[in-house]
Amino acid sequence: GIHQPPMMRRRRGEARTGGEGPNFVIPASSASASTLRAVTASVGLLAAAAAAAVSAVPIQAFAPSPRTSISTRVLRHQRRTATMIRPFLSSAAASRRLLSRPSLVSSRSSRSLSMMSTDADTPDYDVIVIGGGHAGCDAATASARTGARTALVTQRIDTVGELSCNPSIGGIGKGHLVKEVDALGGVIGEAADRAGIHFRMLNRRKGPAVRGPRAQMDRDLYKDAMQDLILNGEKTLSTVEASVEDLLLDEGDGIDVLAPLLGADAVEFADKNDAEKKMADMASAAANKDNRKARIRGVVVTLPDGTRKEITSRTVVITTGTFLRGVLMIGKERYSGGRHLRDSEEVEPPSVGLAKTLERFGFPLGRLKTGTPPRLDGTTIDWDACAIQPSEDPAVPFSHLRQFSGEQPPLVDAGTLINCYKSCTNEETHKLVMDYAHLLPEYDGKDGKGNGPRYCPSIYKKVERFPERTGHNSFLEPEGLSTNIVYPNGMSGPYPEDIQLKIMRTMVGLEKVEIIRPGYDVEYDFVNPQCLTHCLETKTIGGLYLAGQICGTTGYEEAAAQGVIAGANAGRAAAAASRGEAAAPFMLGRDEAYIGVLIDDLVTRGTNEPYRMFTSRAEYRISLRADNADLRLTQKGVDAGLVTDLERIAALEAREGMIEDRIDELRKFRLHVTKWAARGGNDLMGGASAHDPKKQHEVKSAEEVLGMPHVTLSAVESIVRDVQTEQQKAATDIMSGQADGDIETEEVSIMEPSPTSIYDTVEASVKYKSYVRRQHKDMASWRKAQGARIPPDVVYDHGALPTLSSEELEKLNLVRPATFADASQISGITPQSLVYLYHHVQARNKKRDRDKMQSISIAGK
C-alpha cells in the first residue's frame, strides 16, 4: 500500500514493521524539567572548570612521548576528552539541546548594534560578513577565531544555516572539503555530524584517495546546530538582522587599504617555495595597488523597522549566494527573489544594490542558474516498490575530533538513522520531459537556455544530453525525523506545477505521489573569480572579499571552503590593522588541500559554468585524502590563529604520534617471504611464486608486505601478532626452565590492532608511499614541459584520449590550445589530464619521428 514506512526512522537493530504514524519525533527524556536544569547547570560548571584547568596547562604537555604505546595515548586522550565535557556527544543531551528551540535571535545578536564602537576613529567592527549561508557561516566564524570583531549581517537570522536545496553534506570531492574545513576549525562538519540521519562513505570499494564521506541531514536539526554554533559560539562574533543595500567606499586610484596584507617578505613565508612566495606577492596590498579603484569601509543596511544605517568596518566579505539580482522561475513565470522560504510562499528578496555597485566598478559579472526539485509527500509514496538504501552504522563522522575520540554522531548513537530509497525515470518520463520542454523558462544566460551546473543537471538536460539512456536514478531522501517531506534527488526541472506532477507520477513508487511544493529555478549574478587574489580579496576594491556562489561555484561544501579562507584573511588583516600592523596572507597550495585546488582553479582559470569539486581536479589527490586532512591542515590553522581549541591540538599531536609509531613498528618487523606466505596464504605475497626456493632467504618487513596490492593492515597486524605471541611464549618457557635454551631473552611486546582513529591513515600512508613519489615526479616533469607546443591536428576524442572527461574533450575541441600552457588555463581541464595529453603528444611525436626515419632508410636503399 501507499504509506510512510517505519524504517524512515529506525532504531539500531529494529526490524522493518508497520503500524507507526506518519510523523516521527526524537523521544524526549523521561527526566523531569528540574532534573534536566540541574544536570545542565552541573555540566556547565564542570565544563567551565575543565576549560580553566586546561588553559593553565602548556600545549607541550599534550605532546605524547615517542615511546608511549598507542593504547596509552588513546587512554590519555580519552581521559582528557572526558574531563573537558565536549557538548553534543551524548545522544540524549544532543536530542534535548537540538529539539529545544531557543529564540533565534540571541541576546548577543540583539545587542549587536548597541555594541558597536562610538570612537570616531575606530570602525564599528573589524569584519562584516554579508549573508548567512554556508560561505557566510564559515567566513564569520573563521574571522572571529582570528580575534577580529566580526558581524554577520543577514536578512533573517532565523534562516541562518538553511539547507536551500539538497538536505545532504559531503560526497566525492565535496566530503574532502568538509573534512578540510573541519581541520581548520570550521563549523560545517560539526553541524553535519549533529544533524546527520543517514551516513555513507562513497567509493568505499575504491582507493582511500577517492573515498568521500556523505551524510543526509535533518533540515531542522542542521539549521538549529548551525545557529547554535553562530549565535552561541565565538565571543567576538555578533549578528545583525538587516538587508545590506550598498557598500561604503572611499574611492581613488591606488588608494591604500584599511587592512593590508603583506607579500612574501612576511616572516611566515621565509621557508616557503618560490611558487608559494609568488602567490603571496600577488595577493599583497602592494601588488594590487595599480588595479585598486576604492577601499572598503563598511556597508549601508536597512533594519527590520525600515531604518537606514551605516555600519563601518575594515574589511567586508560578500557571501550572497543566489541573491545577487536573483530571479525565480516556474514555467514561464518570473519573479525577483533569492530563494523561497521553506514551508512558505514567501520569497526572500534579491540583492540589487550590491550588484549595481560591483557593476559600476567594472567587476566581470555573468549569469548562472541552479534548480531545486519538487518536494514530495512521503505518505503518498509506495516505498515497497523502491530500492532501499540503508545508512552505514557505525558512521564515519566529519569531525576529526569526534572520530579520534571514537565517538559516533549523536543521532547514530540514539539509533535514529533513516533509510533512503531509489526510484528511476523511464521512457514515459523522458517523453513528457521533452514534450513539455516548450514550457520551461527563458533564461538570461546562454541565449535563453540558462547556464546551469554540468554535474547536477535538470532532468531536461539529462534527457537531452543522453537520449540513448532509458532511465536515470533518483534517490528519495527524507528531509528529517519529524516531517513527511521527501527530496527527490536528481529531478529538478522548473516546469509548471501540474507538469511536474505528471512527470513524477511516471516513476516507480511515485504513481500516486502528491507534491507539497513545486520545484523552481533561480538565475543570479556571479563575479568571474579571476578578479580575485588567492586570498579571495578583490583586486579592484581593497578590503572586499568574495566567497561562495558569487564566485561561480555550486554546493554548500565549496561555499564553506571559500568562506573559511576569505574569513581567515579578512579577519587576520583587520585584527592586525587594529593593532597598527599588517598580516601575512593565509593561503593553501594545490599540493596542500582541495581548498587550494578549488581557489587556484577559480582565480587563475575562472569559470563559465557552476564549478563543482571532484577528486579528479587535484593532481596531488593521492596525498590529499579525507582521512589525513587534519594532519595536513590543523597545524597550519594553529599557526594562522584559526585553530585555538586545545583539545583539537592535543588530538592532532596524539594522532600524529600514534601513526608514526605504528608505521615504525611495521617497518621494524621482518619475516621471510616464505613464512609470510605460509601464514597469510599465497595471495598475501602475490601468488605461488612466494614458495620459489630462490626466495627462501628473502626477507620483507611488515611495511613492505602492506604496500602490496590486496593486502590489508588488519591481515598484516594479525600475522605480526601471532608471531610475537609465539615469540613471547618461547621466551617465557626459556625463562621458566620449561624449554631448553641458553640464549638471552628479551621482553616481546604484542602489536595491538590499530584503533579506528588511525587505521585508514596508516594503511593509506604505507600503500601510497611509492605512488606519492611518482606523483611528484610526474608533476615536476609536467611543469618543465608547459611551454611545449600541441600539434594543431591532435584529435580530441575518447578513442585517442580515453581518460579525459567529456567536458575536457568538449573544451579542448572548442579552444584548440596551441601550447600546454594555454591548455592549462582552460577552466575544467585537470592537471592530471594535461599530463596524460602531454604523454600522448610525446608518444605521437616519437612515432612520427620513427616513421620518418624508416621512410628515409627505405628511400636510401
Side-chain angles (χ1 to χ4, degrees):
I2 299 173
H3 64 284
Q4 182 169 0
M7 59 282 226
M8 284 184 67
R9 192 205 74 180
R10 61 179 174 84
R11 293 190 176 279
R12 192 179 306 176
E14 278 189 346
R16 175 177 171 177
T17 57
E20 289 189 28
N23 293 310
F24 303 98
V25 184
I26 300 174
S29 169
S30 59
S32 67
S34 60
T35 302
L36 289 178
R37 282 195 295 271
V39 170
T40 302
S42 300
V43 170
L45 290 172
L46 283 170
V54 171
S55 65
V57 180
I59 291 177
Q60 289 84 346
F62 289 129
S65 164
R67 293 180 296 277
T68 304
S69 71
I70 286 178
S71 60
T72 304
R73 285 180 173 171
V74 172
L75 182 60
R76 286 181 181 175
H77 180 75
Q78 287 176 341
R79 285 173 178 167
R80 283 197 300 270
T81 301
T83 303
M84 297 171 81
I85 316 293
R86 291 187 66 238
F88 288 98
L89 293 183
S90 161
S91 59
S95 300
R96 289 195 297 272
R97 188 167 176 181
L98 286 173
L99 285 176
S100 61
R101 299 284 199 263
S103 170
L104 292 171
V105 183
S106 72
S107 58
R108 184 169 354 132
S109 69
S110 63
R111 293 198 311 267
S112 58
L113 288 177
S114 63
M115 289 169 61
M116 298 190 306
S117 171
T118 56
D119 187 338
D121 296 326
T122 303
D124 298 322
Y125 295 98
D126 293 321
V127 181
I128 292 174
V129 177
I130 304 172
H134 288 82
C137 288
D138 261 302
T141 50
S143 170
R145 290 197 304 278
T146 68
R149 295 176 301 116
T150 306
L152 175 62
V153 183
T154 178
Q155 292 185 109
R156 296 181 58 133
I157 292 177
D158 64 349
T159 62
V160 167
E162 180 71 76
L163 293 164
S164 300
C165 190
N166 190 357
S168 69
I169 299 291
I172 299 170
K174 290 173 173 283
H176 290 69
L177 290 175
V178 177
K179 296 285 280 189
E180 290 181 350
V181 172
D182 179 78
L184 293 170
V187 292
I188 185 174
E190 175 62 22
D193 277 354
R194 294 188 191 183
I197 54 178
H198 183 280
F199 293 82
R200 298 200 89 167
M201 179 65 75
L202 305 185
N203 276 350
R204 188 175 284 282
R205 295 180 182 178
K206 298 184 178 180
V210 295
R211 294 173 190 162
R214 182 185 187 274
Q216 185 77 12
M217 301 293 108
D218 179 302
R219 282 190 188 275
D220 291 330
L221 296 184
Y222 183 86
K223 186 171 70 170
D224 288 349
M226 187 64 82
Q227 288 179 9
D228 177 65
L229 292 165
I230 295 294
L231 300 175
N232 304 308
E234 303 299 328
K235 293 181 179 179
T236 56
L237 175 58
S238 301
T239 52
V240 178
E241 190 168 74
S243 178
V244 176
E245 306 297 342
D246 209 345
L247 302 175
L248 288 175
L249 301 170
D250 293 326
E251 299 187 29
D253 292 342
I255 189 170
D256 291 334
V257 298
L258 296 177
L261 287 170
L262 296 172
D265 54 343
V267 174
E268 288 88 340
F269 283 82
D271 299 324
K272 301 291 186 180
N273 60 41
D274 291 341
E276 290 172 316
K277 289 180 178 179
K278 181 180 179 182
M279 197 164 66
D281 273 337
M282 291 173 63
S284 68
N288 293 292
K289 188 176 181 68
D290 292 341
N291 298 319
R292 198 175 304 126
K293 298 179 181 179
R295 70 183 179 196
I296 201 76
R297 63 179 183 87
V299 297
V300 180
V301 304
T302 299
L303 301 176
D305 62 3
T307 304
R308 197 172 175 89
K309 187 176 183 67
E310 292 185 358
I311 307 177
T312 57
S313 65
R314 290 185 170 89
T315 59
V316 170
V317 184
I318 299 180
T319 67
T320 48
T322 61
F323 284 72
L324 208 61
R325 276 197 291 223
V327 176
L328 305 177
M329 307 175 190
I330 300 179
K332 298 298 182 183
E333 184 183 2
R334 295 167 56 100
Y335 45 100
S336 295
R339 68 182 172 197
H340 272 281
L341 284 171
R342 185 155 52 102
D343 301 327
S344 170
E345 293 297 320
E346 190 178 347
V347 170
E348 293 188 73
S351 178
V352 177
L354 286 177
K356 289 182 177 178
T357 297
L358 295 176
E359 196 169 49
R360 179 166 69 88
F361 279 88
F363 282 83
L365 300 179
R367 297 288 278 176
L368 297 177
K369 81 172 183 76
T370 188
T372 190
R375 302 307 195 268
L376 309 180
D377 183 348
T379 64
T380 63
I381 295 174
D382 182 359
W383 297 101
D384 291 330
C386 303
I388 191 170
Q389 302 287 310
S391 171
E392 292 182 354
D393 186 358
V396 177
F398 287 108
S399 165
H400 290 283
L401 197 51
R402 181 174 278 112
Q403 187 171 3
F404 178 75
S405 299
E407 295 155 344
Q408 285 289 289
L411 299 178
V412 178
D413 266 345
T416 50
L417 293 174
I418 65 163
N419 293 318
C420 294
Y421 293 82
K422 183 174 70 174
S423 181
C424 61
T425 63
N426 51 55
E427 292 180 349
E428 183 184 357
T429 314
H430 299 177
K431 184 176 185 305
L432 289 177
V433 165
M434 299 309 294
D435 285 350
Y436 290 106
H438 64 284
L439 298 179
L440 289 170
E442 294 179 8
Y443 303 91
D444 299 328
K446 276 201 169 180
D447 300 322
K449 296 180 180 178
N451 193 2
R454 179 186 295 264
Y455 296 105
C456 185
S458 67
I459 185 60
Y460 169 74
K461 284 294 183 183
K462 289 179 185 178
V463 176
E464 179 190 49
R465 193 178 298 165
F466 306 105
E468 73 283 359
R469 295 276 298 271
T470 58
H472 296 277
N473 289 333
S474 174
F475 292 94
L476 306 178
E477 301 170 338
E479 294 199 347
L481 299 175
S482 31
T483 180
N484 296 321
I485 300 175
V486 174
Y487 180 96
N489 200 329
M491 292 301 295
S492 69
Y495 294 91
E497 184 174 357
D498 60 325
I499 305 303
Q500 292 186 39
L501 182 61
K502 285 184 178 181
I503 290 171
M504 298 305 301
R505 286 185 171 180
T506 63
M507 298 170 62
V508 174
L510 306 183
E511 293 85 356
K512 297 182 180 179
V513 76
E514 294 292 344
I515 289 178
I516 293 177
R517 292 191 306 276
Y520 62 91
D521 274 9
V522 56
E523 192 173 34
Y524 55 94
D525 281 356
F526 82 104
V527 176
N528 188 318
Q530 287 176 300
C531 69
L532 307 176
T533 71
H534 280 80
C535 295
L536 298 181
E537 184 181 14
T538 68
K539 299 174 184 177
T540 306
I541 300 178
L544 178 64
Y545 296 77
L546 308 182
Q549 284 181 282
I550 191 174
C551 297
T553 60
T554 179
Y556 311 134
E557 304 82 2
E558 290 84 351
Q562 294 169 72
V564 77
I565 297 299
N569 282 292
R572 282 166 56 83
S578 69
R579 302 187 299 269
E581 303 169 357
F586 177 69
M587 296 178 294
L588 299 173
R590 298 184 68 93
D591 60 337
E592 294 178 309
Y594 275 90
I595 297 175
V597 173
L598 166 68
I599 292 175
D600 187 62
D601 279 352
L602 292 174
V603 304
T604 60
R605 304 178 182 184
T607 186
N608 54 13
E609 61 184 56
Y611 178 105
R612 184 214 191 275
M613 178 51 69
F614 285 106
T615 53
S616 60
R617 295 190 188 272
E619 60 270 41
Y620 296 100
R621 62 181 172 272
I622 293 176
S623 308
L624 308 181
R625 305 185 308 275
D627 69 86
N628 69 357
D630 58 331
L631 304 180
R632 292 184 279 114
L633 300 179
T634 297
Q635 187 58 51
K636 293 180 182 296
V638 173
D639 297 341
L642 278 177
V643 176
T644 57
D645 179 4
L646 292 181
E647 188 184 4
R648 184 181 290 274
I649 296 169
L652 170 67
E653 293 175 343
R655 203 166 96 87
E656 284 178 332
M658 290 163 63
I659 292 167
E660 183 182 340
D661 286 353
R662 178 44 46 97
I663 293 176
D664 187 57
E665 289 179 86
L666 294 171
R667 187 179 297 121
K668 290 178 178 177
F669 183 90
R670 303 176 67 80
L671 203 63
H672 284 91
V673 168
T674 51
K675 291 183 178 179
W676 280 112
R679 291 176 179 272
N682 291 342
D683 291 341
L684 186 73
M685 296 304 303
S689 62
H691 298 285
D692 189 327
K694 296 178 182 178
K695 292 188 176 184
Q696 62 180 329
H697 299 298
E698 186 177 344
V699 175
K700 282 187 179 292
S701 69
E703 182 187 28
E704 290 173 315
V705 172
L706 179 57
M708 300 177 70
H710 312 301
V711 178
T712 65
L713 175 59
S714 60
V716 171
E717 288 179 335
S718 177
I719 292 174
V720 172
R721 197 158 47 250
D722 288 346
V723 172
Q724 290 175 338
T725 300
E726 292 169 10
Q727 291 173 342
Q728 188 181 67
K729 184 178 184 304
T732 302
D733 289 346
I734 290 173
M735 294 181 68
S736 63
Q738 295 179 15
D740 295 332
D742 54 2
I743 59 172
E744 293 185 6
T745 61
E746 295 182 2
E747 183 179 351
V748 179
S749 60
I750 306 299
M751 180 180 285
E752 304 161 350
S754 293
T756 56
S757 59
I758 67 167
Y759 183 97
D760 288 342
T761 307
V762 169
E763 187 174 77
S765 298
V766 172
K767 284 190 170 296
Y768 280 155
K769 189 175 180 181
S770 61
Y771 293 100
V772 169
R773 285 198 296 265
R774 189 171 74 187
Q775 170 185 264
H776 284 274
K777 184 178 178 181
D778 283 348
M779 295 315 302
S781 63
W782 153 246
R783 280 192 290 271
K784 294 177 182 178
Q786 287 194 56
R789 299 191 63 80
I790 302 176
D793 59 342
V794 168
V795 177
Y796 297 112
D797 62 20
H798 281 300
L801 301 164
T803 66
L804 270 65
S805 69
S806 298
E807 175 192 359
E808 290 171 321
L809 295 173
E810 175 189 320
K811 291 183 175 180
L812 287 168
N813 272 311
L814 180 66
V815 178
R816 306 294 305 182
T819 66
F820 284 96
D822 294 338
S824 69
Q825 296 304 307
I826 302 173
S827 174
I829 309 296
T830 68
Q832 204 64 36
S833 293
L834 290 171
V835 171
Y836 187 89
L837 177 60
Y838 173 72
H839 289 315
H840 171 75
V841 170
Q842 290 291 94
R844 185 177 179 273
N845 290 343
K846 288 179 181 178
K847 182 178 184 302
R848 179 200 60 199
D849 293 343
R850 284 197 305 270
D851 292 345
K852 186 176 181 180
M853 291 301 296
Q854 286 179 354
S855 298
I856 293 172
S857 176
I858 293 171
K861 293 180 181 178

